[in-house]
Amino acid sequence: MSAHAGRLVVTGHDADAHCIREAAPDRPASCHFVATGVNWARAGAPDPTKPVLILDRANRDLQKSVALMSPAVPNVIVSPRDPNFATMAIDTATYSAVLIASSKNEASDLTIADLNELDSTPDSDAINARAATFASFFNAGGGIDVMSGGLAGRTNSAKYYAFLKLTRAGSTVSTPFTLTPLGRAIGWQDARAHPGELDSINCCDTHLSFDLPAPESPLKVAELDNVGRAVTMVAETNDLSKIEEVPTTAQAIFGGVPGVPAGGNGTVVVPGTPGSNTVTAKPASCVNKTRTKITLTRPKGVSFAKIAVTVTGQKKRYIKGKVLRAKSRKIAVTVKLRKGKTTNVKMVVTTGSGRKLTYKRSYKTCKKR
C-alpha cells in the first residue's frame, strides 16, 4: 500500500443530521460517529492538516457537525449546486478530504438531511459529474467520507454512487448493528456490545444498507446490520477503481457444471447493461437419482448477494446470508428432481453490484426397468 493511499468511508447512517438535530444522549453519539469517520478519512492524506472540503447546503448539518469536533478541523463548505463547484480545484494540495452530507430520506423525517430533494437529485448528479476529479483526488491520497444516500440511494444506488461504483444499497436495514473488528479499530463505538461506550451506531434511525463486497476487494465492512448486510464500509487503496466489482460471465460461474460446454455462450456483463447473462446447459441424460448437486464458482473479485433457484413443481427458493459471505469460492446447491418426469432448473445469481447471471438445464430421472 502506498504511503498516501486514499481512504474512503461510506455509510448508511445520516449521523450528520442526528448530530445537529437530535436531543441528548443521541446527539453526542452521532457526533462521535461523524468525527471518527472524518478523522480516519483525512489521516491518510499527504498533509492531514489541510482543510476538509464539505459538500453540504440548506441546514449545513455536516459542516455544523465538523465544527463541534475537537481539536478543530479547518473546513471549506461548498454547495454542489453552486455553479462554481463544476470547475473548482479539488486536490490534495488544498484539501485533506472531501465530506459529502446525507441525502434526504422522507418527508416525515424529523432530521431530514440536506442534499437533494425527495423527487430529484441535483446535488448527487453534480457530484457524479466530477467522478474523474474525485478519483484523481483519492488516488493521490485524499480522503472521501460519504454519509447516507437516503431515499435516492435506496431507489437507485448505482446512479447515486456512480462516482464510486459500490455494491448495491438495499431498501431496509435490520437492527441492531454490530461493528466488525475493523470498525472498532477505526474508533467507532457500540454501547450495546460494550457498556460505557457511546452508542454511535445504534442510537438513531438509519436508512441504508449495502450488499457485501467481495472478500478480495479493498472495500471492507466496518459495520453490519442484523441480517449481515453492510451499514458502513471503508477502503484504503491508491486506486479508487479497485473497489468496483470486476466484470464476470455466466460461464465463469457455471462453467464447471456438467452440460455447460467449454467457452459456453456467456458474454461479459458490462456495468449498466440491462438484462441478464445466461448460459443454457445441454439437457441431462436420464439420471438414476432424485437429487443432484450443482456447484457454482464465485469468481475472484465478485460477491454473490443472492441465488434464486427455480425448479419445476417447487416453490422458488433463495440462498443468501452466511453461506454466501464465506470466503470459499465454491458454493454447492442441491436440487430435488421429479421421479420419472422432466425437471427444469433455473438459477439466477445476483452479484453485489446487481448483475444477474443465469443458468438453465433440464433433467430427467431414469425409468426403472
Side-chain angles (χ1 to χ4, degrees), residues 288-302:
N288 292 309
K289 52 187 178 181
T290 56
R291 291 180 184 273
T292 188
K293 183 181 290 186
I294 301 172
T295 301
L296 291 64
T297 300
R298 179 185 63 79
K300 188 176 181 180
V302 175

Side-chain angles (χ1 to χ4, degrees), residues 71-157:
V73 175
N75 63 86
V76 175
I77 183 169
V78 174
S79 168
R81 301 186 199 187
D82 186 330
N84 293 323
F85 172 69
T87 56
M88 68 176 289
I90 303 175
D91 53 52
T92 55
T94 310
Y95 305 108
S96 59
V98 177
L99 317 181
I100 300 175
S102 293
S103 183
K104 288 181 174 58
N105 185 58
E106 54 188 24
S108 61
D109 193 341
L110 297 178
T111 56
I112 193 162
D114 293 330
L115 294 189
N116 295 312
E117 306 301 334
L118 293 175
D119 58 355
S120 62
T121 56
D123 298 308
S124 53
D125 291 348
I127 291 169
N128 283 322
R130 301 214 61 188
T133 300
F134 283 116
S136 295
F137 173 77
F138 181 88
N139 295 346
I144 299 177
D145 188 353
V146 188
M147 305 304 293
S148 171
L151 176 63
R154 292 196 309 275
T155 302
N156 189 339
S157 63

Side-chain angles (χ1 to χ4, degrees), residues 236-251:
E236 187 173 8
T237 175
N238 56 14
D239 186 352
L240 186 62
S241 68
K242 288 183 178 179
I243 71 172
E244 181 182 3
E245 183 178 85
V246 301
T248 191
T249 66
Q251 178 66 32

Side-chain angles (χ1 to χ4, degrees), residues 84-363:
N84 293 323
F85 172 69
T87 56
M88 68 176 289
I90 303 175
D91 53 52
T92 55
T94 310
Y95 305 108
S96 59
V98 177
L99 317 181
I100 300 175
S102 293
S103 183
K104 288 181 174 58
N105 185 58
E106 54 188 24
S108 61
D109 193 341
L110 297 178
T111 56
I112 193 162
D114 293 330
L115 294 189
N116 295 312
E117 306 301 334
L118 293 175
D119 58 355
S120 62
T121 56
D123 298 308
S124 53
D125 291 348
I127 291 169
N128 283 322
R130 301 214 61 188
T133 300
F134 283 116
S136 295
F137 173 77
F138 181 88
N139 295 346
I144 299 177
D145 188 353
V146 188
M147 305 304 293
S148 171
L151 176 63
R154 292 196 309 275
T155 302
N156 189 339
S157 63
K159 177 185 176 184
Y160 187 86
Y161 297 103
F163 76 109
L164 295 176
K165 297 181 180 177
L166 298 168
T167 53
R168 294 184 310 162
S171 60
T172 59
V173 293
S174 178
T175 56
F177 308 132
T178 305
L179 291 170
T180 65
L182 175 59
R184 287 196 60 76
I186 288 172
W188 285 298
Q189 295 186 8
D190 177 12
R192 184 186 69 87
H194 302 274
E197 293 187 352
L198 288 168
D199 195 13
S200 61
I201 62 171
N202 284 296
C203 67
C204 312
D205 289 340
T206 301
H207 310 295
L208 208 61
S209 61
F210 301 86
D211 285 327
L212 301 185
E216 303 85 10
S217 172
L219 189 63
K220 303 299 182 184
V221 178
E223 178 189 357
L224 290 163
D225 77 355
N226 198 41
V227 295
R229 291 177 59 83
V231 179
T232 301
M233 298 187 292
V234 300
E236 187 173 8
T237 175
N238 56 14
D239 186 352
L240 186 62
S241 68
K242 288 183 178 179
I243 71 172
E244 181 182 3
E245 183 178 85
V246 301
T248 191
T249 66
Q251 178 66 32
I253 293 172
F254 300 106
V257 178
V260 178
N265 63 351
T267 57
V268 173
V269 176
V270 178
T273 300
S276 62
N277 173 19
T278 302
V279 61
T280 302
K282 294 179 179 179
S285 302
C286 69
V287 293
N288 292 309
K289 52 187 178 181
T290 56
R291 291 180 184 273
T292 188
K293 183 181 290 186
I294 301 172
T295 301
L296 291 64
T297 300
R298 179 185 63 79
K300 188 176 181 180
V302 175
S303 63
F304 288 175
K306 67 178 178 181
I307 302 172
V309 184
T310 305
V311 180
T312 304
Q314 299 176 31
K315 183 178 179 181
K316 181 186 290 189
R317 63 187 172 111
Y318 293 94
I319 300 169
K320 48 189 175 181
K322 288 184 178 180
V323 66
L324 300 185
R325 296 200 298 270
K327 291 185 178 181
S328 172
R329 293 178 55 199
K330 296 292 184 180
I331 299 171
V333 179
T334 299
V335 174
K336 184 177 180 180
L337 306 177
R338 303 192 301 171
K339 293 182 179 180
K341 297 182 179 180
T342 298
T343 303
N344 295 316
V345 177
K346 176 182 176 181
M347 289 189 187
V348 180
V349 173
T350 302
T351 72
S353 65
R355 298 168 184 155
K356 294 182 184 296
L357 296 309
T358 302
Y359 162 83
K360 296 178 180 179
R361 194 183 196 192
S362 60
Y363 294 82

Side-chain angles (χ1 to χ4, degrees), residues 23-38:
D26 293 340
R27 178 173 179 172
S30 294
C31 293
H32 178 270
F33 185 94
V34 173
T36 300
V38 170

